[in-house]
Amino acid sequence: MEPRSPDLAALVAEAAVVLDDATDLFLKGHRADSAVRKKGNDFATEIDLAIERQVVDALVAATGIGVHGEEFGGTAFDAPWVWVLDPVDGTINYAAGSPLAAMLLGLLHRGEPVAGLTWLPFIGERYTAVAGGPLIKNGMPQPPLSRTELAATLVGVGSFSADSRGRFPGRYRVALLENLSRVSSRLRMHGSTGIDLVYVADGILGGAISFGSHVWDHAAGAALVRAAGGIVTDLTGASWTPTSQSMLAAAPGVHAEISEILHRTGQPEDY
């Protein structure tokens, strides 16, 4: 379904109200117990489910655009227009009582991330952007990312088990982190892909590596990082799309350095 208005800023403003309305529920549910067991050690809380229901209904009513959510699916993410929602990113953090959890909402137009919103309710930070920038933090436009060097920056990486298998085996991840650490000893695991990505957009991190393939983890961040002047690809260097199996988001300069380290580390299947 095409939106009633092609004005991306207006759509983001409407979406911001929807996320603000869900913030109290998000805050009240801190340390919520697991409600739905998912793959591996992942799970959803009742708050994930409740926020998704509330936000989906409100977004469709306010914008006329369908939603693809983490918990219930919905509109296909290759639709002409679709919101992509992660109601609680960093669910394990959230359930444990950590403040490192977020609400993520991206807008895709024919697969291209054209707007993003990331809410960090426990920290009191709200980020938005539309294609072309700038990144807006708590209502204030931020300067674009400048070119920087890997050795001078923090780098966000996803958590994992060294014995895990799959597309990016644990031993491959260990080797990559070892190689990264030789250039930057400032590696960070926040336990939230969305927070890693918005921190790249905000210049807090120089780069972030995600070994995941879920579009709801990446859509908002892809829009935010690109709007801020960063580079977003998968780990092979191909431009990120909703079907990508990984993500590398970084400031200019850092992206090229991490890409070279990825190349030198070799292919995941060799591990």
Side-chain angles (χ1 to χ4, degrees):
M1 179 184 295
E2 294 292 325
R4 294 194 303 263
S5 169
D7 184 341
L8 292 176
L11 290 173
V12 167
E14 291 175 316
V17 172
V18 171
L19 294 188
D20 282 344
D21 288 344
T23 295
D24 281 348
L25 182 58
F26 188 101
L27 293 171
K28 289 175 182 176
H30 210 198
R31 294 184 180 268
D33 292 331
S34 169
V36 178
R37 179 66 57 180
K38 301 198 290 190
K39 185 178 179 180
N41 66 352
D42 196 11
F43 59 86
T45 70
E46 289 289 357
I47 302 302
D48 293 78
L49 308 180
I51 290 176
E52 184 159 320
R53 293 187 187 101
Q54 177 177 321
V55 170
V56 168
D57 289 347
L59 276 175
V60 172
T63 69
I65 300 175
V67 184
H68 187 99
E70 175 180 3
E71 308 305 338
F72 299 112
T75 301
F77 56 74
D78 59 355
W81 290 90
V82 59
W83 294 106
V84 180
L85 170 68
D86 189 341
V88 180
D89 182 56
T91 301
I92 293 175
N93 289 351
Y94 184 80
S98 167
L100 295 178
M103 287 190 284
L104 313 178
L105 183 63
L107 180 62
L108 302 179
H109 180 45
R110 304 192 185 281
E112 186 71 15
V114 295
L117 302 91
T118 294
W119 261 223
L120 283 65
F122 298 118
I123 302 173
E125 293 179 345
R126 303 158 75 251
Y127 292 88
T128 65
V130 299
L135 177 73
I136 298 175
K137 178 180 181 180
N138 292 339
M140 299 296 294
Q142 303 299 299
L145 295 174
S146 58
R147 189 173 189 87
T148 189
E149 296 182 352
L150 176 58
T153 64
L154 305 178
V155 178
V157 293
S159 54
F160 64 93
S161 164
D163 293 328
S164 64
R165 301 302 303 165
R167 186 176 297 107
F168 299 101
R171 295 299 173 186
Y172 168 79
R173 302 186 196 196
V174 169
L176 177 59
L177 296 190
E178 179 181 342
N179 291 335
L180 282 167
S181 74
R182 292 193 170 102
V183 182
S184 172
S185 61
R186 305 170 182 181
L187 305 182
R188 300 290 184 266
M189 286 186 182
H190 294 119
S192 163
T193 301
I195 289 177
D196 281 347
L197 296 177
V198 78
Y199 279 1
V200 172
D202 195 20
I204 297 168
L205 298 177
I209 295 171
S210 170
F211 300 104
S213 61
H214 298 311
V215 64
W216 49 81
D217 288 333
H218 293 146
L224 293 167
V225 173
R226 287 178 177 171
I231 301 167
V232 182
T233 65
D234 66 14
L235 297 190
T236 72
S239 184
W240 182 86
T241 73
T243 59
S244 293
Q245 301 299 301
S246 59
M247 180 178 280
L248 170 58
V254 175
H255 190 279
E257 289 189 72
I258 294 178
S259 295
E260 174 57 26
I261 291 171
L262 283 161
H263 177 73
R264 288 193 280 107
T265 301
Q267 298 302 312
E269 53 267 28
D270 294 336
Y271 291 81

